[in-house]
Amino acid sequence: MFWDTLSKPFFVMAPMADVTDIAFRALVAKRGAPDVFWTEFVSADGLYHTREIQKMRDAENPLMRELAFEENQRPIVAQIFSSSPEMIAYATKLVAKLGFDGVDINMGCPDRAIERQGCGAAMIKNPKLAQEIIRVAQGVSDLPVSVKTRVGYNKESLDEWLTVLLEANPAAITLHLRTRKEMSRVPADWELMKKAVSIRNKVNPRVLLIGNGDVQDLEDGRAKVAEAGCDGAMFGRAMFGNPWVFAGKKSEDTSLAEKLAALTELAYGFEKLSPPKNFAILKKHIKAFVTSFDGAAHLRAKLMEAENAAELEAILALYCRNGTPEFI
Ligand SMILES: Cc1cc2nc3c(=O)[nH]c(=O)nc-3n(C[C@H](O)[C@H](O)[C@H](O)COP(=O)(O)O)c2cc1C
């Protein structure tokens, strides 16, 4: 399995809904690939029911577009979520059939709509089911199964929760170093990673541990991993506006022209490759790429009005020709 072939420390792409889709991954792959790519999370129940209700074959299921990837986006792990072992079994088999390199189960998402279904972070409160779900996924294909979760629900509970996960023997566990209750409001607590590593070493040393939360860039990732003693780090928001991050670049290392070109490429990629979604989804990328220079706010506001890639490109072309944000 691919996890065994990674040299340590390794640095991986975080799964991010409405961010790490095929077009964004293409942007990153071209500029410096992570050691592992991740999809956005996909509802296992959604995959199943869309197919059942519409009596369609897997290949006709519109949700399948969320599981599209290109060959230079490997190794790639598909992240799924469900509180139903049957749905996890169905989605894992599907993901295996599609040629993914691994399957990851989300046990950390704090979104109320997800938690109401007993999924995401709610799984932390249901350790028996969490173990069952991991084991079911392991049983239905040869794909390595990993888990992404948090350090606890209302309070840090690594002794209990991490032990439960380790006992199910996943290939890797990513720990977002905050509790569910903390959401993203406090800094990630990398000190806890040391505790996690010592639990892992005692309970199941074969499981890889990946730290997540507030990693700024490769240098910061290396330092955090070295200090904590884990195997790798996962980068989320550090990728915003910086698809060069896995190549070791910091945001200030790239010119504005390169950033605007990357944004344009992303917009066209989004139209061509991504599942059909509102162009407004690109707003968070516009905010991230168009920042920290004189007139950025003005240009950003203009770009936010773009309804497609051609309009975005036209606004940027006007900006670049005039070289000044006062053009409008
Ligand atoms: C816009 C957005 C979407 C996210 N979507 C997912 C997701 O689909 N699955 C998941 O496990 N975590 C998701 N997360 C959490 C990130 O993967 C990561 O754990 C979190 O951002 C902390 O890492 P960072 O500080 O490096 O960003 C998302 C976070 C953000 C900001």
Side-chain angles (χ1 to χ4, degrees):
M1 74 171 169
F2 80 89
W3 287 110
D4 294 335
T5 67
L6 302 178
S7 51
K8 297 178 198 169
F10 53 79
F11 300 102
V12 306
M13 167 181 277
M16 297 178 103
D18 289 338
V19 178
T20 58
D21 67 4
I22 182 171
F24 185 76
R25 292 193 306 261
L27 199 71
V28 174
K30 221 165 121 180
R31 287 161 177 81
D35 291 307
V36 185
F37 288 86
W38 241 268
T39 65
E40 318 171 64
F41 69 178
V42 180
S43 162
D45 301 66
L47 282 169
Y48 180 82
H49 291 300
T50 311
R51 188 197 68 158
E52 281 302 293
I53 291 164
Q54 302 186 19
K55 296 277 171 241
M56 54 177 55
R57 290 182 298 129
D58 281 335
E60 295 160 350
N61 187 342
L63 276 181
M64 294 277 282
R65 290 199 50 187
E66 302 200 7
L67 292 171
F69 63 89
E70 295 178 326
E71 279 304 310
N72 66 349
Q73 300 174 4
R74 284 187 188 275
I76 183 161
V77 171
Q79 192 186 61
I80 57 174
F81 66 93
S82 177
S83 56
S84 150
E86 292 75 28
M87 295 299 130
I88 289 289
Y90 167 74
T92 302
K93 282 190 264 184
L94 181 63
V95 160
K97 207 164 72 185
L98 292 171
F100 278 90
D101 299 296
V103 65
D104 186 76
I105 301 169
N106 181 310
M107 298 193 182
C109 179
D111 187 301
R112 293 244 176 256
I114 304 290
E115 284 210 79
R116 262 199 300 274
Q117 305 167 48
C119 312
M123 207 63 82
I124 303 173
K125 296 190 286 191
N126 203 341
K128 271 207 163 29
L129 180 61
Q131 281 193 333
E132 186 188 347
I133 280 195
I134 297 168
R135 291 192 171 122
V136 162
Q138 288 164 332
V140 294
S141 87
D142 292 336
L143 288 188
V145 177
S146 55
V147 172
K148 179 166 178 280
T149 188
R150 290 174 176 251
V151 295
Y153 198 86
N154 286 320
K155 59 180 179 43
E156 179 262 304
S157 58
L158 285 171
D159 281 317
E160 303 79 24
W161 174 232
L162 183 59
T163 300
V164 160
L165 294 177
L166 289 164
E167 280 170 359
N169 198 30
I173 298 173
T174 305
L175 275 180
H176 180 179
L177 295 157
R178 297 183 174 97
T179 62
R180 153 69 179 82
K181 193 174 171 191
E182 287 166 342
M183 304 286 282
S184 290
R185 284 190 286 261
V186 300
D189 186 353
W190 274 82
E191 276 302 305
L192 288 176
M193 203 65 210
K194 294 182 190 167
K195 178 173 177 183
V197 169
S198 96
I199 295 171
R200 185 274 310 265
N201 292 349
K202 220 166 40 211
V203 179
N204 190 347
R206 280 179 315 215
V207 180
L208 297 172
L209 273 189
I210 305 168
N212 170 240
D214 298 342
V215 178
Q216 303 296 320
D217 50 48
L218 210 53
E219 190 185 347
D220 184 38
R222 276 190 209 289
K224 284 186 159 76
V225 169
E227 168 77 12
C230 55
D231 302 294
M234 175 179 271
F235 295 34
R237 288 162 299 170
M239 298 185 291
F240 283 5
N242 187 9
W244 298 268
V245 69
F246 293 105
K249 288 195 179 178
K250 299 177 197 265
S251 183
E252 60 271 23
D253 295 339
T254 15
S255 67
L256 178 58
E258 285 174 293
K259 285 183 185 166
L260 298 184
L263 176 62
T264 310
E265 188 179 321
L266 179 63
Y268 279 106
F270 180 78
E271 284 185 352
K272 192 166 144 224
L273 303 170
S274 302
K277 280 186 190 166
N278 195 317
F279 196 73
I281 280 178
L282 285 182
K283 284 186 176 175
K284 57 171 94 57
H285 294 292
I286 294 175
K287 269 191 213 141
F289 278 110
V290 183
T291 183
S292 308
F293 60 93
D294 280 350
H298 194 50
L299 178 59
R300 240 180 1 246
K302 271 283 153 199
L303 289 169
M304 295 291 183
E305 292 167 13
E307 287 180 4
N308 54 50
E311 284 182 21
L312 180 135
E313 189 178 26
I315 294 167
L316 287 176
L318 198 55
Y319 171 76
C320 291
R321 203 165 45 240
N322 288 275
T324 158
E326 274 91 56
F327 67 100
I328 304 165

